[in-house]
């Protein structure tokens, strides 16, 4: 019988790393990788990243390819089906082979409108095979994303897509995620529909 007591991770030489802002004290972790929008205070054991870590990688891009990624209602932005559909009408003219993909948060009312107006280019999230989004973004030149979908914005950027935002009504009190989207535009990392449409 092995009577050796179980020893802790530190005693075995392991390290404790958080891949987000932890709810426990930061001093309990050897390292924490935290998105900038979480506004984590600077500490020697904190690495701040531009966005949430994701598995996306760029590949050779298909010329003229574009995708729209739709989020949905959230506390960070308002939502307007009509505003989104108006933008889609313009994008479809510029990119005839546009793909429009929704998500779990997309309102049923918008999904019904997509099924009626864009059945040939609408990709329902529940019909996507595993790995579909990563593979599609890897080869897509341009990604348009509703402003509420911060994680998808960073996924598109990681995949090397030219990334632009579909505007949404602001929430009454702008959140840290909404402010991070504004910074991306100000820094020139993403574009927005108003700028593209004027050009």
């Amino acid at each position: 019988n092995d009577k050796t007591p179980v020893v802790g991770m530190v005693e075995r030489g392991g390290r404790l790393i958080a891949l987000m802002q932890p709810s426990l004290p930061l001093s309990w972790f050897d390292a924490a990788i935290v998105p900038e929008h979480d506004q984590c205070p600077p500490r020697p054991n904190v690495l701040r990243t531009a966005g949430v870590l994701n598995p996306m990688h760029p590949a050779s891009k298909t010329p003229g390819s574009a995708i729209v990624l739709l989020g949905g209602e959230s506390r960070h932005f308002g939502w307007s089906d009509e505003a989104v559909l108006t933008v889609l009408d313009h994008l479809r003219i510029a990119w005839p082979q546009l793909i429009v993909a929704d998500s779990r948060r997309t309102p049923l009312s918008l999904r019904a409108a997509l099924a009626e107006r864009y059945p040939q280019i609408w990709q329902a999230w529940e019909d996507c095979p595993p790995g579909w989004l990563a593979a599609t973004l890897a080869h897509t030149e341009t990604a348009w994303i509703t402003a509420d979908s911060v994680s998808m914005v960073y996924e598109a950027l990681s995949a090397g897509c030219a990334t632009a935002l579909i505007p949404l009504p602001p929430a009454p009190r702008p959140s840290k995620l909404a402010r991070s989207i504004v910074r991306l535009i100000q820094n020139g990392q993403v574009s927005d529909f108003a700028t593209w449409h004027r050009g």
Side-chain angles (χ1 to χ4, degrees), residues 60-182:
S60 58
K61 300 299 185 183
T62 302
S65 57
I67 188 171
V68 171
L69 300 178
L70 301 174
E73 297 171 345
S74 76
R75 62 186 176 87
H76 304 291
F77 287 89
W79 184 265
S80 168
D81 286 0
E82 196 53 44
V84 172
L85 290 168
T86 298
V87 171
L88 287 181
D89 288 340
H90 290 284
L91 299 183
R92 181 71 191 280
I93 295 171
W95 286 276
Q97 302 304 316
L98 185 71
I99 297 171
V100 179
D102 63 12
S103 66
R104 289 177 174 83
R105 289 191 296 110
T106 304
L108 293 177
S109 55
L110 181 56
R111 285 168 58 93
L114 292 173
E116 180 180 348
R117 294 167 64 164
Y118 299 116
Q120 300 89 352
I121 63 172
W122 172 42
Q123 177 66 53
W125 68 265
E126 65 269 27
D127 295 333
C128 295
W132 179 86
L133 182 59
T136 301
L137 285 177
H139 295 283
T140 299
E141 277 191 337
T142 304
W144 287 88
I145 303 166
T146 51
D148 62 292
S149 303
V150 177
S151 61
M152 290 195 288
V153 168
Y154 284 107
E155 286 173 346
L157 289 170
S158 297
C161 303
T163 305
L165 299 177
I166 296 173
L168 293 172
R173 296 179 61 186
S175 67
K176 61 184 180 182
L177 288 180
R179 290 191 294 269
S180 74
I181 287 291
V182 172

Side-chain angles (χ1 to χ4, degrees), residues 23-48:
S23 55
L24 299 171
L26 281 164
S27 59
W28 293 11
F29 295 83
D30 294 287
I33 301 174
V34 182
E36 288 178 347
H37 60 246
D38 281 340
Q39 301 174 336
C40 183
R43 296 176 59 100
N45 63 334
V46 172
L47 173 64
R48 299 174 71 182

